[in-house]
Amino acid sequence: MSLAGTVRDHVREHRSGMVVDLAFAVIWVAVVTALFDQLPAPRWAYHLSLFAGVVAYFGFFASLETAKDST
């Protein structure tokens, strides 16, 4: 199978998950950027807040899985 075929199959199988991941990332970056545009803060705090999105992403979806498993 070609690389293009492999990528096409992967996207077809994981389309909804990829859309959710992209939406979470776009919303997180938009909120953090809007917040830091309004508040005076050092640049490192902005970058740290963007990185916190990675932790928030895994924490949110881990808790969602736990909630689904407990029902």
Side-chain angles (χ1 to χ4, degrees):
M1 181 177 275
S2 69
L3 177 61
T6 302
V7 170
R8 197 173 12 260
D9 289 342
H10 180 78
V11 170
R12 190 176 303 120
E13 290 175 18
H14 302 286
R15 179 174 295 156
S16 63
M18 293 170 75
V19 170
V20 170
D21 294 348
L22 178 62
F24 187 92
V26 168
I27 291 168
W28 186 268
V29 170
V31 168
V32 168
T33 301
L35 180 66
F36 278 85
D37 282 347
Q38 300 301 317
L39 300 173
R43 196 78 174 150
W44 62 265
Y46 172 73
H47 290 276
L48 188 62
S49 297
L50 288 177
F51 177 72
V54 175
V55 176
Y57 171 84
F58 286 109
F60 174 73
F61 285 104
S63 67
L64 193 61
E65 277 297 315
T66 303
K68 283 181 184 178
D69 291 343
S70 68
T71 59

